Amino acid sequence: MSLTIPAARSDADAVSDAVVDRSTSPDLAGRIRAAAREHGATHALTLLHAATLSGVLPAGPGGHVLVPESVAAAGSHYDTPQGPRPRRPGGGEELLARLPQPDGEALVALRVPGAGPGPEGGAAFAGGLVALRLGLAERALREAADRLKNRTVQGTVMLHLPLVRALVADAACGLAEARALLSAPTDQQGPTELRRAHRALDESGRTCLHLLGAAGFLTGGTGDLVRVSELLADTYAPPPPVPEGDRT
C-alpha cells in the first residue's frame, strides 16, 4: 500500500509548546523522559525528533519508521547509514499502520526501502529513545501502583501483599537498569548496552501488565502505553549480532 502523506503542520504545532535546542544535549535525556512520563509517547517522540533529526525520518535497522503523523508529513528526508536521503514519489515507501494515541495525535508506521540508522542523528535518536521508553515505563508502574493501592483482597491493600510487592520490585529493577545506562558516558552506550536497556524495559512493562491483570488489556489504558513502548523497541533497537558461523 502506498503512502499518502498528510499536510504538514506548522513548526509550532510540530514541537507543541516546548522547544528542545540541540545544544542542550546533556539535558536531552531528562527532558524526553519527563515528556514521556507526563504527556505520553507522541509528545515525547515529537520533541526527540526535533532535537536529533529535525526534518529527517528516523529509521530502524530494518528500514521501519514509527513517528507521529505530523513528523511523517513534515519530513523531507529519511535517515540511512550513509546519511539523510530525500523522500521521492514512487520510492516504494509504504504505510503499514496508523495507531491512534490517547495522549496525542496518532503514530504512523512506515517501511522505507534503503532507510536505516544514520551515523550521527541516528545514534542520538537511539539513545534518546531509551530515555523515552524509561519515561513510559515509569508512567506504567505509577499507574499500576495507583490502581493496586486502591484495591483490597480480604481487607488487605493489594499493594501490601508480598507477591505484589515482589512484582513491583522486579519492575523497578528494570527501570534502574535503564537509568544506569542513561547515566553512563555516551561512548559507553553502544549497541550491546542499548539492547540490554530495551530488554529491561520490556520486562518491566510486562510486569506492570501482570500487576494490572485484565485492566492491562483495556484500550486507551496502560496496556496501550506498554504496547507502543515495545513497538518502538521493535522498530529502533539495535539487532543482535550475527553469530560468527553465520556470517557470509
Side-chain angles (χ1 to χ4, degrees):
M1 178 169 57
S2 61
L3 169 68
T4 300
I5 300 175
R9 302 194 307 166
S10 67
D11 289 343
D13 288 333
V15 299
S16 186
D17 58 354
V19 175
V20 181
D21 192 315
R22 291 174 185 267
S23 65
T24 62
S25 55
D27 300 326
L28 179 59
R31 290 171 180 263
I32 298 303
R33 176 181 168 189
R37 183 175 60 244
E38 303 305 325
H39 302 293
T42 301
H43 183 81
L45 269 173
T46 302
L47 297 181
L48 176 59
H49 178 262
T52 58
L53 282 166
S54 183
V56 180
L57 296 185
H64 296 94
V65 173
L66 184 62
V67 292
E69 280 185 316
S70 62
V71 172
S76 59
H77 291 67
Y78 59 88
D79 211 12
T80 80
Q82 294 75 40
R85 300 282 179 85
R87 298 171 76 185
R88 301 186 186 280
E93 186 175 311
E94 293 181 85
L95 173 62
L96 302 178
R98 182 180 183 275
L99 307 171
Q101 297 300 301
D103 296 319
E105 65 182 297
L107 301 178
V108 291
L110 311 173
R111 181 187 292 119
V112 184
E120 297 180 4
F125 183 89
L129 192 70
V130 173
L132 189 156
R133 293 197 67 211
L134 174 59
L136 293 179
E138 289 172 332
R139 180 170 178 162
L141 183 55
R142 180 181 67 194
E143 291 177 357
D146 285 346
R147 178 175 174 81
L148 292 170
K149 73 182 182 182
N150 294 319
R151 297 174 69 86
T152 61
V153 174
Q154 296 181 345
T156 301
V157 175
M158 291 186 69
L159 196 57
H160 297 165
L161 296 173
L163 178 59
V164 171
R165 292 174 67 88
L167 288 173
V168 170
D170 286 344
C173 283
L175 306 189
E177 191 169 351
R179 279 195 295 267
L181 170 76
L182 289 174
S183 65
T186 303
D187 60 0
Q188 295 180 22
Q189 297 180 18
T192 299
E193 289 74 23
L194 289 174
R195 284 193 298 271
R196 180 178 174 184
H198 282 300
R199 283 197 302 271
L201 291 170
D202 284 346
E203 292 170 3
S204 179
R206 292 169 191 174
T207 300
C208 288
L209 293 185
H210 191 176
L211 287 167
L212 287 166
F217 294 93
L218 295 177
T219 300
T222 308
D224 275 358
L225 181 153
V226 172
R227 176 188 177 219
V228 166
S229 180
E230 289 202 16
L231 284 174
L232 287 168
D234 290 343
T235 301
Y236 293 112
V242 178
E244 187 172 346
D246 293 340
R247 298 175 187 171
T248 56

